[in-house]
C-alpha cells in the first residue's frame, strides 16, 4: 500500500506517522514496516550517547498499523477514526536502534459493542521487540 493510501486510511502525519509501508493485509490481519533512520527528533534526547527508539513509539507504530486495518472495517463511516482505549500485557524484549527496520504484525481478534480488540507484535532483526494487546473505539474525526 502506498503512503497516499496509508494517509487516506489514518489521520497521522509527519513527524508522527510511524508506518512506511503495508506488506500484507487481510480482513483481520496486517503486516507493516517502519524504518527508523536515526534522523527522528527523539534520538537527540532519548539516550543521546546510546540512542534507542522509545518503547512507547514502537507501540504507537503498531497501533497505527491497527488503525489502518480498522479503516477498512469502518469504511462505510469515514467520519470515524479508531482511538486506543486501553493497552495490556506490554512486554519490551529487544531494543530498537537508529537504522533498524521493524515489522509490525497486528491481528484483530474480536469486535464487541463498538470496541475492537487487537494483538500486536513488533519484530526487529528476526527478534521480538515488543508484544502487547490493545483495544480501540471509534471517535468522530475532529
Amino acid at each position: 500500500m502506498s503512503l497516499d493510501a496509508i494517509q487516506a486510511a489514518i489521520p497521522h502525519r509527519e513527524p508522527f506517522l510511524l508506518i512506511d509501508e503495508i506488506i500484507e493485509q487481510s480482513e483481520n490481519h496486517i503486516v507493516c514496516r517502519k524504518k527508523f533512520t536515526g534522523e527522528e527528533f527523539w534520538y537527540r534526547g532519548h539516550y543521546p550517547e546510546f540512542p534507542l527508539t522509545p518503547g512507547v513509539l514502537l507501540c504507537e507504530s503498531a497501533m497505527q498499523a491497527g488503525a489502518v486495518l480498522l479503516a477498512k472495517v469502518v469504511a462505510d463511516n469515514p467520519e470515524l477514526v479508531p482511538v486506543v482505549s486501553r493497552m495490556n500485557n506490554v512486554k519490551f524484549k529487544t531494543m530498537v536502534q537508529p537504522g533498524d527496520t521493524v515489522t509490525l504484525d497486528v491481528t484483530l481478534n474480536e469486535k464487541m459493542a463498538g470496541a475492537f480488540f487487537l494483538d500486536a507484535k513488533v519484530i526487529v532483526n528476526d527478534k521480538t521487540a515488543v508484544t502487547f494487546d490493545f483495544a480501540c473505539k471509534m471517535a468522530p474525526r475532529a
Side-chain angles (χ1 to χ4, degrees):
M1 181 182 285
S2 71
L3 183 59
D4 288 340
I6 292 168
Q7 289 179 332
I10 61 175
H12 303 79
R13 298 295 182 264
E14 291 295 333
F16 211 70
L17 180 61
L18 299 175
I19 305 171
D20 292 333
E21 62 180 322
I22 306 300
I23 304 305
E24 66 181 73
Q25 184 174 359
S26 67
E27 185 177 327
N28 295 318
H29 183 246
I30 192 166
V31 178
C32 305
R33 280 199 194 115
K34 170 64 180 166
K35 179 174 176 94
F36 292 100
T37 65
E39 298 299 315
E40 293 85 359
F41 69 89
W42 54 80
Y43 290 121
R44 290 190 309 267
H46 196 255
Y47 298 89
E49 299 300 318
F50 183 70
L52 298 174
T53 306
V56 69
L57 294 181
L58 296 173
C59 293
E60 173 65 24
S61 188
M63 290 185 291
Q64 287 183 18
V68 172
L69 178 64
L70 293 178
K72 289 193 180 240
V73 174
V74 296
D76 58 331
N77 198 340
E79 300 84 38
L80 298 178
V81 62
V83 176
V84 172
S85 57
R86 77 173 188 212
M87 292 174 59
N88 292 314
N89 306 310
V90 181
K91 294 182 177 89
F92 298 105
K93 300 179 177 197
T94 302
M95 293 181 285
V96 174
Q97 298 179 298
D100 284 341
T101 297
V102 295
T103 300
L104 312 158
D105 190 311
V106 179
T107 301
L108 172 62
N109 294 317
E110 185 177 9
K111 177 185 175 191
M112 182 171 50
F116 299 86
F117 300 89
L118 304 98
D119 287 332
K121 183 186 225 182
V122 179
I123 301 160
V124 63
N125 301 322
D126 296 321
K127 294 180 182 175
T128 300
V130 183
T131 59
F132 66 102
D133 59 88
F134 65 105
C136 293
K137 289 201 164 215
M138 293 300 155
R141 284 185 188 253

